[in-house]
Each structure stands twice: as structure tokens, then as C-alpha cells.
Amino acid sequence: MAKTDKKHTPLLHIVKRDQGTLTWQYKILIRAIAIALALLVSGLLITALADTDPIKVYKSMISGVFGTERRRWNAAQGMAMLLCVSLAVTPAFKMKFWNIGAEGQALVGGLACAAVMFFLGESLPLPLLLVVMIVASVVAGMIWAVLPAIFKAFWNTNETLFTLMMNYVATQLVAWFLKQYVESGSGVMDIMPQYGLPVIGEYKYLLNVLIVALLTLLVYIYLKYSKHGYEISVVGESENTARYIGINVKKVIIRTLLISGALCGVAGLLLVGGTNHTISTTTVGGRGFTAIMVSWLAKFNPLFMVLTTFLIIFLELGSKQLTSDFGISSSIADISTGIILLFIIGCEFFLQYRIVLNRNRKEATK
Amino acid sequence: MAKPVALECRGVTKTFGRVVANKNCDLQVYRGEILAILGENGSGKTTLMNMVAGIYYPDAGQIFVDGQEVTIASPKDAFAYKIGMIHQHFKLVDVFTACENVALGVEDEGRYRLADVRKKVIEITQRYGFVIDPDKRVADMSVSEKQTVEIIKVLYRGADILILDEPTAVLTPQETDKLFAVLRRMREDNKSVIIITHKLHEVLSLSDRVAVLRKGESVGTVNTADANESSLTEMMMGVKVELNIERSEPKDPQERLKVENLHSVNEEGRTVLDGISFTAYSGEILGIAGIAGSGQRELLEAIAGLHHLTEGDIFYQDPKTGETEDLRDKNPIQIRDLGVRLSFVPEDRLGMGLVGNMDIVDNMMLRSYQKGRGFFLHRREPRDLAVNIVEELQVATPNVSTPVRQLSGGNVQKVLVGREIAAAPTVLMAAYPVRGLDVNASYTIYNLLNRQKEQGVAVIFVGEDLDVLMELCDRIMVINSGRVTGIVDGRTARKDEIGLLMTKSKEEMQNGEN
């Protein structure tokens, strides 16, 4: 017997799980453990760096999100805006069209809205102005999204690079607009509060929240119950199958990106016409990229995206509170966000695979 | 005279999730013998051998080489014990020559010298009687030549125990004979050869002993001399089965599909269809035989409206109106809108015929989702159809909301064929519909095709097993390099005759005509 061989028996090996036997309770349990572990690790890190106890840290984060009415509204607005952009990228992602240009698409939507407010605000009656704002934003978003789609459909260009580059064009377009038309030359556009979407009662953000809630439901129904949604799934899963049953893949790509772009346009409209009443190059504020994460984490399900959006916004606002309560540098807040995302994404591995320790391996008896 | 045991598995077990691939498998291979591992698809033959070759790691059990217990955790470990496996899918670099591929990944002492490798490769080819040009690029090789390179690769690394996973699946009968001659020479050279297969006649003609697996368990090992086809089938299936395909005479055959002079090129601009003409009649099964990649896929896809033709016409004769439609350059939707009831079971089931991540209901909908007015999907009809098919064809699935990816190969195929037949076709094309299916599931498919034929459907069946083609089809069309090399009667054709047609070149065809 060559006992030496025993030595390099691997300590553990990885076994693929049978997806059919995984219960949803188990899936939730794994994810809950991941979030709990993530909070623990980031809590310990912050504690070590900020020299305070973790309970206080968590309390501070929770108060940062739910502490006052203003904070709660801030959280709701933050969620609504992020969710809106996330909804926009989802149909494209479901089709495996990697649209990472939501940032630019939302920004040109906002720019179109700002331009309408700036140039036509005085000359048009408010209801008509609103209509023009809506149309302009949506069309601008659609154009920005459909350009890469057309190139993808007809010449099979790489949509990731194309949409990414369109972001820079959008940013520079806004910069040019501000330089050209802001008379003070400061590059900062004055707020135009008189032209904007109506406000419901005294709640500044309520309209945004309601619109996005409605959109969430619509996108969910569109993807799950409509013929278009079905075509998107088939094209995303297998272009060969789409060809086989006679789906016009080019048409589906272009149509889906028009929808994706229109939703981005709406996000721009809500940001500029509904909230800020002005525009800058950072109006969208990276939501176009965060949205990718929101959509992926929710497995492209708009209803789950409400939860993932909440998670991201909670981390963002909670971390801000930490910065002011404990004087921790804001980069530590980013680190903890990173840790939490790492755990959430990492736990997917445990849903796909099982780890078997070879110590417990039965020897065959003979 | 007892030969020494080269390799032994004792109680080897491997599970994948809920699926038990191997359970307590025992196996012995002697030096200087050819052992056939026989079993239906999914019986765990390949998994067991993958564990010996270091691809998988067993959950339980022991492996012995020359009587010593060993741990094989990687292919590298396997080579250390002189075990080499030739997989079904070749792992070669296309732009490299045979020699360069052999040298790849070998960590010899000293400098890398291709000349030395070449010398050794030639030595190996002469010793075992391989026919191969060591300086030919893999990209220019036939499937059989590529396989030869894979075998030389393993021998070059000094393997004494060779495992071949279904090596004849891609070969013509003539190439198979050559391979077997080489394997016999290896046996004389005192090597152990393990060949995985489910073709009984190969087992009987080549091996010394047969180890049979059934549902992941070893049923037993017998001397080939004491075995025959029916005894082996019984071991494989657990019960006695009749392996005869019924074949009725075609009733009232009428011209249904007339294909004339089809030409096309693939994406790289290489000719794939080179003037194919034939006629398919209602109420008959037309078989298409040929080496893999002879244009079978493109031919069926061209008829289905998925492959662009540079030349040629496809005429469809409508049985109801008697009118003739030209299907050339029409897409699947246009073909359907013409009232042509053409069903197509493609070779790539989960990549083309079905969507793996969708459930059975949504897969039923692929063909019919556009039916019904309005913006929204109507799932009731597809659901009823799914329930029907699951019941009638005995699809093993928890329910109709199970993603088809989670079903076994045979059940996936039942879902696909069931859907295509449900459309009440007048032409039914099926490409390799029994590939990867066990004997029972295969016979279910043969019966379904036969029933369609009896109902007057023109069935076109692309197959790879000549025995099946000769038992099932009324006529067999043989193609090679996108050309028809012959159409023979399925009832009287001989296998070697079809084999020759499969490799007949353009020049030979022209000489024959002169």
C-alpha cells in the first residue's frame, strides 16, 4: 500500500447542486446569511477604524435612512430614481444586450428636458410645456439607446463599448450646453423651479415615487405576460432558437432598446423636470452604472429590484450618516458597500455548488 | 494463464446533485486486453472513466493501479499512473500541426525540440500502424485524422492504459476497421485498452471482455466469447427486449417536397451544399446518411428557411390544394403563412429547438405564441398541449413548469418531437433525433416517426447509426461534402455499400459517370 498517496488527497472538492431540489426557503436562507455576514464583517471593519462599537454604527446607519421624515423621503426619492434607471436597463439585459450606457441615455433625456425648460419655458403655457418636456426627454433617451442597437443589429458591433462611449458624448454635450448658454459663464445653470412637473400636495418627491412604482409594475407585466417580453426572453436565451421560430432578431433588438432608452429618458425627465429643475454633468450621478448591479442582483425581475434598490440606497444613505456621526472618511463607507456586494454576489456560488470535505468520505468496504 | 491486473475500481461512487452517476462500481482491466464498457446513455460509463482519468473526483471508493491504491485528482495524476483518455470532443489546436499538438503541454526535461518530438511521433505511428502526416495542420484534417492525433498524444505521454470514449461515433465503417486494427496492435503490445461504446456489434468484434453498466451500477463482466447480442442487451436493459423496428410499406406515396440543385456557402465562404437534388414523398421515411458535417444540417436548415441558398429551389406540393410553392429565400414565418406545415426537429435541441431555461409550457409556445389577438400571451392552449405531451409520451418531469434544461436527454427530445408533431405536419424533418437517447427513448421516437409516416407525412430522417437507418427508412440518401453520392433502397442496401458512398469523392463520382 502506497500510504504516501493518501497525503495529496485534496481536502475538499466541489459538487454541483441539483437546481431542482433547492427550495426557495433555502435560497432565502443562504442570501440572508450572506447579508448578515457582510454586515458583520463591514461592522467589524468600521469599528476597528472608527473606534466605536458596532451596534452604534448600525444604529447610526438606520437612523440615517429612517431617522426623520426628511430622511425617509430622501430614501424614497433615491430609490425611485435608481429603480427607474434599473428598470430601463432590464429589458435590454434580459435580451443579453449589455447596455451600460444608461448613464448617458438618462443624461441626454435630462438635457432635452432642461433645454425645453430653458428655451421654451417663457413662451409656452405650462401644460403644453410639460407635454413638450416629456416628449423631448423620452425621444432623446430613445435616440441615445437605439443608435448602438441599430449598429448591433445590422453590423454586429460590440454594444458594450458603443453604449459606454455614448456616455462620454452625452456628458460632453451637457458640458457644452452649459458653457454655451449659461450667461454668467460659471457653468452652473440656475434653478428653474417655475417650470417643472406638478407637485402633489406638500410632498416634493411623491409624484416621482408614484410614477416609478407604476413603471415597475408595467415593466414586470411587459416582460412576463406580453408577446414582446416573450420574444426578448427567447432572443436573450438563444438567438438560434429565435431564428428557428422566425423571430426577427434585428427588430426585437431595436424595439427593446427603444423601450430601454425611453425609460432612461423618463429618468432624466424626473431628475431634471421633477426634482432638480436644472442640469449638470453629474445629474445622473452614476445611477446608470449602479443600475446594472441592481438589475443583476434581482435576476432581472422588476419586483425583486425594489429590494435590491433598497439595499443599495440603504448602504449609500447609511454610510453618509456614518460619515457625519463618526467623522469616518466617506471612502470607508464605500469599502463597506463593496464588502456587502461581494458577499451577496459570492453567495451565488453556494447556491450553485456544494463543498464536500473529503475527511468524511466513506471508504469502500471490501 | 492469468494476466496481471492493470487497473481496478472498487466501490466507486459519484453523484451530481440528485443524479447518481455511479454507485459502487467495480471494474478490473488486465494488461494486454481490450475491455469494452457497455451501457445505455446515462448509465455512467463516461463518468466512471472520467474519474479514472482525473476529470472528476470520486465521492467514495478506491482506484488501484497495478495493485497499489492511488489518488487521481487531476489528469496530470492520471498521466503519472500512465492512464490516458481520448474524449469524444477533441482538444486540439487547429492552427498547429499534428506534432505541435502532441508536444503541447508535455513537460520534458531539457529544451523544446520539435524534431525530437517528430521522430518519436513517427516511431509511434510505425509501431501501431497509424496513417498520419505529422506535419499536417489540424485544421486541414478529417475527423478520423484528428482522432489519430489524440491517440498519439496519449501514447506519446507514455500511457499504458488507454480509454477511448465512443471513438467510432464519428467514423465511417472503413475508418472504424482501421481504428480497430490499431487497437488490436496495442493489445499485442501489452497495453490495456478500454473502449466505451453502446454499439453491440463493435463490442463483439473487438473486445476480449465486456463490463456492463446499468443506471450507474456495474452489472457484471463477461468474456466476449461467451456473449451474444441478445445476452448483452439483456444485461444492459435488465429485461429482454425486442429490437426490431416495424417498417410498413409506404401507402400512396405522392410528391411532397422537391429539392433542386441546392448550393450554399457557410460563413467562412466554404461550399457546404454543392448541388443537392432529391424528392421526398408522402408516407415514406427518407433517411439521410453521411459523415458528420457533410451538409446535413445546412440542408435541413435551408428547407426550413434558416440557411441562405446561393442557388437552387425547394418546391412544396400542397396536399390539399395541389398547388406548388417555392420555399426558397422565405423565412420560417413566411413559410408557415403560406400554409406549409413543415416541422423540424433540429440537431441542437437545447440551443435551437428549445430554450433550456424556459419551462415546458413556454417551450410549447415557441411555435404558437403569435397566435391569438392582442399584446399579451395566451398560455392556456400551450399549457394544455404541454400536459398532453407529458402524459402521452410519458415525459418524466415533476410538472409542466419545470425548465426543460433539468430534464434528461430523452425527455427533452420527447418534448421537442411532441411539439413538432402536434402541429400536424405534412413534412417532418428530424436531425439525429435519437442521439444521446437510451434504447427505450430511441424506440419511442422511432415509433412516433413511423406513426407520422403511416398518417401520410413525408418524413426526412438524418441519422448516424447505419443499422437504424437500414431498419427504419424506405430510402436512404447518402451525402458527402454537400453532394448526393447515391440514393439506395432501405430494404435491400448493404452497409459497406453505404459506407463507400459516404466517402465517395467528387472525382470518383465523375469517373463513375464517364
Side-chain angles (χ1 to χ4, degrees):
Chain A
M1 278 284 147
K3 280 283 169 201
T4 46
D5 277 321
K6 283 275 164 196
K7 275 185 190 157
H8 71 270
T9 302
L11 203 67
L12 44 85
H13 66 278
I14 295 161
V15 177
K16 197 159 172 44
R17 275 179 199 281
D18 176 6
Q19 292 298 309
T21 57
L22 271 183
T23 59
W24 62 270
Q25 289 98 333
Y26 186 82
K27 288 182 188 170
I28 290 180
L29 180 73
I30 290 245
R31 294 198 169 104
I33 292 174
I35 294 179
L37 275 177
L39 289 173
L40 188 74
V41 171
S42 60
L44 288 175
L45 182 83
I46 293 168
T47 309
L49 294 168
D51 202 18
T52 170
D53 78 280
I55 303 296
K56 273 190 195 158
V57 167
Y58 293 130
K59 269 191 181 161
S60 154
M61 286 182 82
I62 291 168
S63 99
V65 183
F66 299 110
T68 65
E69 198 186 339
R70 206 176 73 84
R71 286 175 190 170
R72 286 194 287 273
W73 272 116
N74 266 336
Q77 159 75 0
M79 275 180 70
M81 286 303 111
L82 180 56
L83 187 55
C84 188
V85 184
S86 308
L87 289 172
V89 295
T90 299
F93 276 13
K94 214 163 174 204
M95 200 175 60
K96 302 226 164 83
F97 183 104
W98 307 122
N99 174 18
I100 60 169
E103 186 86 6
Q105 290 150 24
L107 193 59
V108 289
L111 176 63
C113 179
V116 169
M117 287 157 72
F118 185 81
F119 294 118
L120 304 176
E122 281 174 20
S123 52
L124 288 180
L126 192 60
L128 187 61
L129 180 70
L130 284 180
V131 172
V132 179
M133 275 162 61
I134 293 170
V135 171
S137 307
V138 169
V139 169
M142 284 168 119
I143 292 172
W144 231 245
V146 85
L147 276 174
I150 290 171
F151 277 80
K152 168 84 176 179
F154 288 96
W155 299 287
N156 198 25
T157 54
N158 181 322
E159 75 274 15
T160 315
L161 282 175
F162 204 133
T163 50
L164 180 70
M165 292 304 147
M166 293 289 280
N167 287 336
Y168 300 121
V169 179
T171 311
Q172 296 310 315
L173 210 57
V174 172
W176 171 83
F177 175 81
L178 293 176
K179 193 168 190 297
Q180 193 75 12
Y181 295 104
V182 175
E183 279 164 9
S184 67
S186 65
V188 179
M189 184 176 244
D190 291 334
I191 295 174
M192 304 171 278
Q194 65 278 32
Y195 318 122
L197 300 178
V199 175
I200 303 173
E202 57 192 289
Y203 308 111
K204 192 177 152 198
Y205 298 139
L206 185 57
L207 182 72
N208 290 353
V209 172
L210 289 178
I211 289 176
V212 174
L214 181 70
L215 286 177
T216 309
L217 214 59
L218 287 178
V219 172
Y220 177 75
I221 292 170
Y222 179 75
L223 289 177
K224 187 148 188 202
Y225 296 106
S226 79
K227 291 176 181 173
H228 287 186
Y230 183 73
E231 289 178 340
I232 289 173
S233 303
V234 175
V235 172
E237 291 287 346
S238 154
E239 260 189 50
N240 255 337
T241 308
R243 245 168 23 91
Y244 165 73
I245 59 172
I247 289 179
N248 185 340
V249 177
K250 291 183 175 65
K251 190 174 116 190
V252 174
I253 289 179
I254 290 170
R255 185 182 68 206
T256 306
L257 263 288
L258 283 174
I259 289 167
S260 203
L263 286 168
C264 277
V266 171
L269 171 78
L270 295 182
L271 279 168
V272 172
T275 317
N276 297 349
H277 304 286
T278 179
I279 188 154
S280 75
T281 51
T282 56
T283 294
V284 185
R287 288 184 184 89
F289 297 106
T290 315
I292 299 170
M293 203 154 64
V294 169
S295 186
W296 264 97
L297 285 177
K299 300 262 164 73
F300 313 133
N301 181 328
L303 300 187
F304 291 158
M305 274 156 54
V306 178
L307 294 177
T308 49
T309 316
F310 172 75
L311 183 76
I312 303 275
I313 294 296
F314 177 84
L315 290 171
E316 189 185 310
L317 297 182
S319 304
K320 264 189 197 151
Q321 190 65 28
L322 283 184
T323 314
S324 69
D325 281 2
F326 301 101
I328 315 175
S329 130
S330 62
S331 48
I332 289 182
D334 287 341
I335 293 174
S336 73
T337 310
I339 290 174
I340 289 174
L341 289 173
L342 185 71
F343 272 79
I344 292 176
I345 296 166
C347 87
E348 292 297 315
F349 173 81
F350 293 94
L351 291 171
Q352 296 289 333
Y353 300 96
R354 232 156 25 99
I355 301 223
V356 180
L357 289 177
N358 288 332
R359 194 153 38 99
N360 305 327
R361 187 171 147 229
K362 278 186 296 182
E363 294 293 332
T365 46
K366 184 160 180 186
Chain B
M1 180 192 79
K3 290 174 180 165
V5 177
L7 175 78
E8 181 172 2
C9 298
R10 266 190 223 159
V12 171
T13 298
K14 179 79 191 172
T15 54
F16 297 100
R18 180 170 46 172
V19 182
V20 181
N22 288 115
K23 193 172 160 192
N24 263 324
C25 281
D26 297 330
L27 187 81
Q28 279 192 329
V29 192
Y30 299 112
R31 290 258 166 248
E33 77 157 350
I34 299 177
L35 176 80
I37 299 190
L38 182 68
E40 292 188 76
N41 279 295
S43 59
K45 300 171 299 224
T46 304
T47 311
L48 182 63
M49 285 303 107
N50 273 336
M51 281 187 275
V52 173
I55 308 281
Y56 295 138
Y57 191 76
D59 295 342
Q62 296 155 287
I63 297 171
F64 300 85
V65 173
D66 293 329
Q68 304 260 302
E69 182 171 0
V70 296
T71 300
I72 302 173
S74 71
K76 215 170 164 183
D77 289 358
F79 271 115
Y81 297 114
K82 303 194 166 185
I83 301 169
M85 182 156 170
I86 293 104
H87 296 271
Q88 256 180 309
H89 301 283
F90 303 141
K91 295 164 168 86
L92 297 170
V93 181
D94 263 1
V95 294
F96 282 5
T97 64
C99 274
E100 286 165 340
N101 267 290
V102 170
L104 201 66
V106 180
E107 288 167 29
D108 275 340
E109 307 247 315
R111 277 178 57 206
Y112 165 70
R113 282 167 60 175
L114 201 58
D116 292 354
V117 177
R118 195 170 178 279
K119 221 162 87 190
K120 210 170 148 193
V121 166
I122 291 174
E123 195 185 299
I124 292 172
T125 54
Q126 283 168 351
R127 187 156 169 197
Y128 297 107
F130 291 110
V131 184
I132 187 96
D133 173 3
D135 302 316
K136 193 167 178 179
R137 287 194 327 154
V138 168
D140 303 326
M141 288 185 183
S142 71
V143 181
S144 143
E145 285 174 304
K146 286 180 193 170
Q147 187 181 55
T148 306
V149 177
E150 285 282 8
I151 298 173
I152 293 173
K153 220 164 88 180
V154 168
L155 289 171
Y156 182 88
R157 294 172 189 213
D160 280 339
I161 303 170
L162 281 95
I163 306 165
L164 295 101
D165 191 356
E166 306 221 5
T168 60
V170 289
L171 302 181
T172 62
Q174 284 80 4
E175 289 167 338
T176 302
D177 288 344
K178 272 188 211 156
L179 173 69
F180 284 1
V182 168
L183 295 182
R184 290 195 185 98
R185 228 160 289 164
M186 287 181 194
R187 171 174 60 190
E188 282 156 27
D189 200 35
N190 215 28
K191 294 199 184 293
S192 309
V193 177
I194 304 173
I195 169 168
I196 301 176
T197 180
H198 58 239
K199 294 182 184 165
L200 293 170
H201 56 94
E202 289 179 358
V203 172
L204 292 169
S205 71
L206 179 70
S207 68
D208 300 303
R209 292 187 310 135
V210 194
V212 182
L213 294 187
R214 183 169 73 226
K215 292 185 177 146
E217 296 183 57
S218 32
V219 183
T221 309
V222 291
N223 288 321
T224 310
D226 307 332
N228 58 40
E229 284 209 17
S230 77
S231 74
L232 288 177
T233 316
E234 208 178 321
M235 281 179 86
M236 233 162 87
M237 306 283 299
V239 286
K240 249 189 141 62
V241 280
E242 281 298 316
L243 288 183
N244 286 320
I245 305 172
E246 49 173 314
R247 173 163 51 190
S248 57
E249 285 294 324
K251 269 183 287 182
D252 185 25
Q254 282 175 358
E255 228 176 82
R256 183 66 63 239
L257 197 67
K258 194 169 180 180
V259 166
E260 278 176 7
N261 196 27
L262 298 192
H263 282 85
S264 82
V265 292
N266 65 5
E267 278 168 15
E268 287 99 53
R270 204 167 53 83
T271 301
V272 281
L273 297 181
D274 195 5
I276 287 195
S277 305
F278 69 92
T279 309
Y281 295 92
S282 65
E284 72 153 18
I285 298 184
L286 172 68
I288 298 181
I291 305 167
S294 296
Q296 295 97 321
R297 200 188 74 223
E298 289 81 4
L299 174 60
L300 295 201
E301 288 191 2
I303 297 171
L306 303 173
H307 182 75
H308 178 72
L309 293 170
T310 49
E311 205 182 305
D313 285 296
I314 301 159
F315 294 110
Y316 170 80
Q317 186 111 35
D318 197 310
K320 275 193 193 128
T321 60
E323 278 171 35
T324 304
E325 307 276 5
D326 191 350
L327 306 186
R328 186 187 165 177
D329 289 337
K330 295 205 165 62
N331 68 33
I333 298 262
Q334 290 167 324
I335 291 176
R336 201 179 324 156
D337 290 346
L338 279 174
V340 177
R341 293 210 304 274
L342 179 83
S343 283
F344 177 27
V345 178
E347 175 182 352
D348 189 358
R349 289 160 211 163
L350 288 178
M352 184 179 247
L354 300 167
V355 177
N357 283 329
M358 287 185 173
D359 65 16
I360 301 179
V361 176
D362 279 11
N363 269 297
M364 289 299 138
M365 219 153 54
L366 279 173
R367 280 289 192 202
S368 60
Y369 79 98
Q370 279 162 326
K371 267 196 220 159
R373 278 162 181 271
F375 183 70
F376 290 104
L377 294 165
H378 304 277
R379 280 198 169 88
R380 189 182 299 154
E381 259 180 61
R383 179 173 296 278
D384 291 345
L385 178 61
V387 171
N388 257 335
I389 288 177
V390 167
E391 245 171 54
E392 265 178 39
L393 303 186
Q394 296 170 342
V395 180
T397 172
N399 54 54
V400 292
S401 309
T402 307
V404 291
R405 183 174 37 86
Q406 287 176 16
L407 306 180
S408 74
N411 289 307
V412 166
Q413 188 65 318
K414 284 179 190 173
V415 169
L416 175 55
V417 174
R419 184 191 71 203
E420 291 302 298
I421 288 177
T426 51
V427 177
L428 173 62
M429 302 190 292
Y432 308 108
V434 298
R435 182 182 281 174
L437 267 56
D438 64 33
V439 174
N440 270 324
S442 300
Y443 277 78
T444 309
I445 302 295
Y446 300 144
N447 286 337
L448 285 170
L449 295 180
N450 262 324
R451 222 182 305 157
Q452 292 299 306
K453 163 186 162 181
E454 280 154 24
Q455 288 169 11
V457 177
V459 180
I460 299 174
F461 173 90
V462 177
E464 48 201 341
D465 189 333
L466 293 184
D467 293 300
V468 169
L469 279 163
M470 283 156 45
E471 272 188 65
L472 179 71
C473 302
D474 299 296
R475 289 184 303 144
I476 300 170
M477 175 168 95
V478 187
I479 61 176
N480 182 29
S481 311
R483 283 184 301 273
V484 177
T485 51
I487 297 183
V488 295
D489 189 314
R491 288 173 177 75
T492 56
R494 287 192 334 272
K495 203 165 165 182
D496 56 339
E497 174 192 4
I498 299 177
L500 281 175
L501 288 173
M502 280 164 76
T503 51
K504 199 167 170 186
S505 68
K506 195 174 190 171
E507 292 72 34
E508 282 169 328
M509 282 174 67
Q510 280 159 352
N511 291 341
E513 281 158 18
N514 292 339

